[in-house]
Coordinates of all heavy atoms in Angstrom, one line a residue:
N301 N 40.0 81.2 63.0 CA 40.0 82.7 63.4 C 38.6 83.1 63.7 O 37.7 82.4 63.2 CB 40.5 83.5 62.2 CG 42.0 83.5 62.0 OD1 42.5 83.4 60.9 ND2 42.8 83.5 63.0
D302 N 38.4 84.2 64.4 CA 37.1 84.8 64.5 C 36.9 85.6 63.3 O 37.8 85.7 62.4 CB 37.0 85.6 65.9 CG 37.9 86.8 65.9 OD1 38.9 86.8 65.2 OD2 37.6 87.7 66.7
P303 N 35.7 86.2 63.1 CA 35.4 86.8 61.8 C 36.4 88.0 61.4 O 36.5 88.2 60.2 CB 34.0 87.3 62.0 CG 33.4 86.3 62.9 CD 34.5 86.0 63.9
D304 N 37.0 88.7 62.3 CA 37.9 89.8 61.9 C 39.4 89.3 62.1 O 40.3 90.1 61.9 CB 37.6 91.1 62.6 CG 38.0 91.1 64.1 OD1 37.8 90.0 64.7 OD2 38.4 92.1 64.6
A305 N 39.5 88.0 62.4 CA 40.9 87.4 62.4 C 41.9 88.0 63.3 O 43.1 87.8 63.1 CB 41.4 87.3 61.0
D306 N 41.4 88.6 64.4 CA 42.4 89.0 65.4 C 42.5 88.0 66.5 O 43.5 88.0 67.3 CB 42.1 90.4 66.0 CG 40.8 90.5 66.7 OD1 40.0 89.6 66.7 OD2 40.5 91.6 67.3
R307 N 41.6 87.0 66.6 CA 41.7 85.9 67.5 C 42.1 84.6 66.8 O 41.8 84.5 65.6 CB 40.4 85.7 68.3 CG 40.1 86.8 69.3 CD 38.7 86.5 69.9 NE 38.5 87.3 71.1 CZ 38.0 88.5 71.0 NH1 37.8 89.1 69.9 NH2 37.8 89.2 72.2
C308 N 42.7 83.7 67.6 CA 43.1 82.4 67.0 C 42.8 81.3 68.0 O 43.2 81.4 69.1 CB 44.6 82.4 66.7 SG 45.3 80.9 66.2
A309 N 42.0 80.4 67.5 CA 41.6 79.2 68.3 C 42.4 78.0 67.8 O 42.6 77.9 66.5 CB 40.1 78.9 68.2
V310 N 42.8 77.1 68.7 CA 43.5 75.9 68.3 C 42.9 74.7 68.9 O 42.5 74.7 70.1 CB 45.0 76.0 68.8 CG1 45.8 74.8 68.4 CG2 45.7 77.3 68.3
A311 N 42.7 73.7 68.1 CA 42.2 72.4 68.6 C 43.1 71.3 68.2 O 43.8 71.3 67.2 CB 40.8 72.1 68.0
V312 N 43.2 70.3 69.1 CA 44.1 69.1 69.0 C 43.4 67.8 69.2 O 42.3 67.8 69.8 CB 45.3 69.2 70.0 CG1 46.2 70.4 69.6 CG2 44.8 69.3 71.4
K313 N 44.0 66.8 68.8 CA 43.4 65.4 69.0 C 43.9 64.8 70.3 O 45.1 64.7 70.5 CB 43.7 64.6 67.8 CG 42.8 63.3 67.7 CD 43.1 62.6 66.4 CE 42.2 61.4 66.2 NZ 42.6 60.7 64.9
G314 N 43.0 64.5 71.2 CA 43.4 63.8 72.4 C 42.7 62.5 72.4 O 41.4 62.5 72.5
G315 N 43.4 61.4 72.3 CA 42.8 60.1 72.1 C 42.1 60.1 70.7 O 42.7 60.4 69.7
D316 N 40.8 59.8 70.7 CA 40.1 59.7 69.5 C 39.3 61.0 69.2 O 38.7 61.2 68.1 CB 39.1 58.6 69.5 CG 39.8 57.2 69.5 OD1 40.9 57.2 69.0 OD2 39.3 56.3 70.1
A317 N 39.2 61.9 70.2 CA 38.4 63.1 70.0 C 39.2 64.4 69.8 O 40.3 64.5 70.4 CB 37.5 63.2 71.2
W318 N 38.6 65.3 69.1 CA 39.2 66.6 68.9 C 38.7 67.5 70.0 O 37.5 67.5 70.4 CB 38.9 67.2 67.5 CG 39.7 66.6 66.5 CD1 39.4 65.4 65.8 CD2 40.9 67.0 66.0 NE1 40.4 65.1 64.9 CE2 41.4 66.1 65.0 CE3 41.8 68.1 66.3 CZ2 42.6 66.2 64.4 CZ3 43.0 68.2 65.7 CH2 43.4 67.3 64.7
R319 N 39.6 68.3 70.6 CA 39.2 69.3 71.6 C 39.9 70.6 71.4 O 41.0 70.7 71.0 CB 39.4 68.7 73.0 CG 40.8 68.9 73.5 CD 40.8 68.7 75.1 NE 42.2 68.8 75.6 CZ 42.7 69.8 76.2 NH1 42.0 71.0 76.3 NH2 43.9 69.8 76.7
M320 N 39.1 71.7 71.7 CA 39.6 73.0 71.7 C 40.6 73.2 72.9 O 40.3 72.8 74.0 CB 38.5 74.0 71.9 CG 37.8 74.4 70.6 SD 38.6 75.8 69.8 CE 38.2 77.1 71.0
L321 N 41.8 73.8 72.6 CA 42.6 74.2 73.7 C 42.0 75.5 74.3 O 41.5 76.3 73.5 CB 44.0 74.4 73.2 CG 44.8 73.2 72.7 CD1 46.2 73.6 72.2 CD2 44.9 72.2 73.8
R322 N 42.1 75.7 75.6 CA 41.7 76.9 76.1 C 42.7 78.0 75.7 O 43.9 77.7 75.5 CB 41.6 76.8 77.7 CG 40.7 75.7 78.2 CD 40.5 75.8 79.6 NE 39.7 77.0 79.9 CZ 38.4 77.1 79.9 NH1 37.7 76.0 79.6 NH2 37.8 78.2 80.2
G323 N 42.2 79.2 75.7 CA 43.1 80.3 75.4 C 44.4 80.4 76.3 O 45.5 80.7 75.9
D324 N 44.2 80.0 77.6 CA 45.3 80.0 78.5 C 46.3 78.9 78.2 O 47.5 79.1 78.4 CB 44.8 79.7 80.0 CG 44.2 81.0 80.6 OD1 44.7 82.1 80.4 OD2 43.1 80.9 81.2
E325 N 45.8 77.8 77.6 CA 46.7 76.7 77.2 C 47.6 77.2 76.0 O 48.8 77.0 76.0 CB 45.9 75.4 76.9 CG 45.3 74.8 78.1 CD 44.4 73.6 77.8 OE1 43.6 73.7 76.8 OE2 44.5 72.6 78.4
V326 N 46.9 77.8 75.0 CA 47.7 78.3 73.9 C 48.6 79.4 74.3 O 49.8 79.5 73.9 CB 46.7 78.8 72.8 CG1 47.5 79.4 71.6 CG2 45.8 77.7 72.3
G327 N 48.2 80.2 75.2 CA 49.0 81.3 75.7 C 50.3 80.8 76.4 O 51.4 81.3 76.2
A328 N 50.2 79.7 77.1 CA 51.4 79.1 77.8 C 52.2 78.4 76.8 O 53.5 78.5 76.8 CB 50.9 78.1 78.9
L329 N 51.6 77.7 75.8 CA 52.4 77.0 74.8 C 53.3 78.0 74.0 O 54.5 77.8 73.7 CB 51.5 76.2 73.8 CG 50.9 75.0 74.4 CD1 49.7 74.5 73.5 CD2 51.9 73.9 74.6
L330 N 52.6 79.1 73.5 CA 53.4 80.1 72.8 C 54.5 80.7 73.6 O 55.6 80.9 73.1 CB 52.4 81.2 72.2 CG 51.4 80.8 71.2 CD1 50.5 81.9 70.8 CD2 52.1 80.3 69.9
A331 N 54.2 81.0 74.9 CA 55.3 81.5 75.7 C 56.4 80.5 75.9 O 57.6 80.9 75.8 CB 54.7 81.8 77.1
A332 N 56.1 79.3 76.1 CA 57.2 78.3 76.3 C 58.0 78.2 75.0 O 59.2 78.0 75.0 CB 56.6 76.9 76.6
H333 N 57.3 78.2 73.8 CA 58.0 78.2 72.5 C 58.9 79.4 72.3 O 60.1 79.2 71.9 CB 56.9 78.1 71.4 CG 57.5 78.0 70.0 ND1 58.5 77.2 69.7 CD2 57.1 78.6 68.9 CE1 58.8 77.3 68.4 NE2 58.0 78.2 67.9
L334 N 58.5 80.6 72.7 CA 59.3 81.8 72.6 C 60.5 81.7 73.5 O 61.6 82.1 73.1 CB 58.5 83.0 72.8 CG 57.5 83.4 71.7 CD1 56.5 84.5 72.1 CD2 58.2 83.8 70.4
V335 N 60.3 81.2 74.7 CA 61.4 81.1 75.7 C 62.4 80.1 75.1 O 63.6 80.3 75.2 CB 60.9 80.6 77.1 CG1 62.0 80.1 77.9 CG2 60.1 81.7 77.8
A336 N 62.0 79.0 74.6 CA 62.9 78.0 74.0 C 63.7 78.5 72.9 O 64.8 78.1 72.6 CB 62.1 76.7 73.6
R337 N 63.1 79.5 72.2 CA 63.8 80.1 71.0 C 64.7 81.3 71.5 O 65.3 82.0 70.7 CB 62.7 80.7 70.0 CG 62.2 79.6 69.1 CD 61.2 80.1 68.1 NE 61.4 81.5 67.8 CZ 60.6 82.2 67.0 NH1 59.5 81.6 66.4 NH2 60.7 83.5 66.7
G338 N 64.7 81.5 72.8 CA 65.6 82.6 73.3 C 65.1 84.0 73.3 O 65.8 84.9 73.2
A339 N 63.7 84.1 73.3 CA 63.1 85.5 73.2 C 63.5 86.3 74.5 O 63.7 85.7 75.6 CB 61.6 85.3 73.2
T340 N 63.7 87.6 74.3 CA 63.9 88.5 75.4 C 62.9 89.6 75.4 O 62.3 89.8 74.3 CB 65.3 89.1 75.3 OG1 65.4 89.8 74.1 CG2 66.4 88.1 75.4
G341 N 62.7 90.2 76.5 CA 61.7 91.3 76.6 C 60.6 90.9 77.6 O 60.7 89.8 78.2
T342 N 59.6 91.7 77.7 CA 58.6 91.5 78.8 C 57.4 90.6 78.3 O 56.9 90.8 77.1 CB 58.0 92.9 79.2 OG1 59.1 93.7 79.7 CG2 57.0 92.7 80.3
F343 N 57.0 89.7 79.1 CA 55.9 88.9 78.8 C 54.7 89.5 79.6 O 54.9 89.8 80.8 CB 56.1 87.4 79.3 CG 56.9 86.6 78.3 CD1 57.8 87.2 77.4 CD2 56.7 85.2 78.2 CE1 58.5 86.4 76.5 CE2 57.4 84.4 77.3 CZ 58.3 85.0 76.4
A344 N 53.6 89.7 79.0 CA 52.4 90.3 79.7 C 51.1 89.6 79.4 O 51.0 89.0 78.3 CB 52.4 91.8 79.2
E345 N 50.2 89.8 80.3 CA 48.9 89.2 80.1 C 47.9 90.0 81.0 O 48.3 90.8 81.8 CB 48.8 87.8 80.6 CG 49.1 87.6 82.1 CD 49.1 86.2 82.5 OE1 48.5 85.3 81.9 OE2 49.7 85.9 83.6
S346 N 46.6 89.8 80.7 CA 45.6 90.5 81.5 C 45.4 89.7 82.8 O 45.7 88.5 82.9 CB 44.3 90.5 80.7 OG 43.8 89.2 80.4
I347 N 44.8 90.4 83.8 CA 44.6 89.8 85.1 C 43.7 88.6 85.1 O 43.7 87.8 86.0 CB 44.0 90.8 86.1 CG1 42.7 91.4 85.6 CG2 45.0 91.8 86.5 CD1 42.0 92.3 86.7
V348 N 42.8 88.5 84.0 CA 41.9 87.3 84.0 C 42.5 86.1 83.3 O 41.9 85.0 83.2 CB 40.6 87.7 83.2 CG1 39.9 88.8 84.0 CG2 40.8 88.1 81.8
S349 N 43.8 86.2 82.9 CA 44.4 85.1 82.2 C 45.2 84.3 83.2 O 45.5 84.7 84.4 CB 45.3 85.6 81.1 OG 44.6 86.4 80.2
S350 N 45.7 83.1 82.8 CA 46.3 82.2 83.8 C 47.6 82.7 84.3 O 48.5 83.3 83.6 CB 46.6 80.8 83.1 OG 47.4 80.0 83.9
S351 N 47.8 82.4 85.6 CA 49.1 82.9 86.3 C 50.3 82.0 85.9 O 51.4 82.3 86.2 CB 48.9 82.8 87.8 OG 48.6 81.4 88.2
L352 N 50.0 81.0 85.0 CA 51.1 80.2 84.5 C 52.2 81.0 83.7 O 53.4 80.7 83.8 CB 50.6 79.0 83.7 CG 51.6 78.1 83.0 CD1 52.6 77.5 84.0 CD2 50.9 77.0 82.2

Side-chain angles (χ1 to χ4, degrees):
N301 285 140
D302 66 337
D304 69 327
D306 62 352
R307 287 176 168 82
C308 175
V310 180
V312 292
K313 198 172 181 183
D316 294 329
W318 284 87
R319 81 163 176 99
M320 274 271 290
L321 293 178
R322 303 191 68 84
D324 284 319
E325 291 175 314
V326 177
L329 288 167
L330 290 175
H333 182 43
L334 288 170
V335 165
R337 277 181 26 184
T340 56
T342 302
F343 280 29
E345 65 180 338
S346 62
I347 55 169
V348 298
S349 306
S350 170
S351 58
L352 177 55

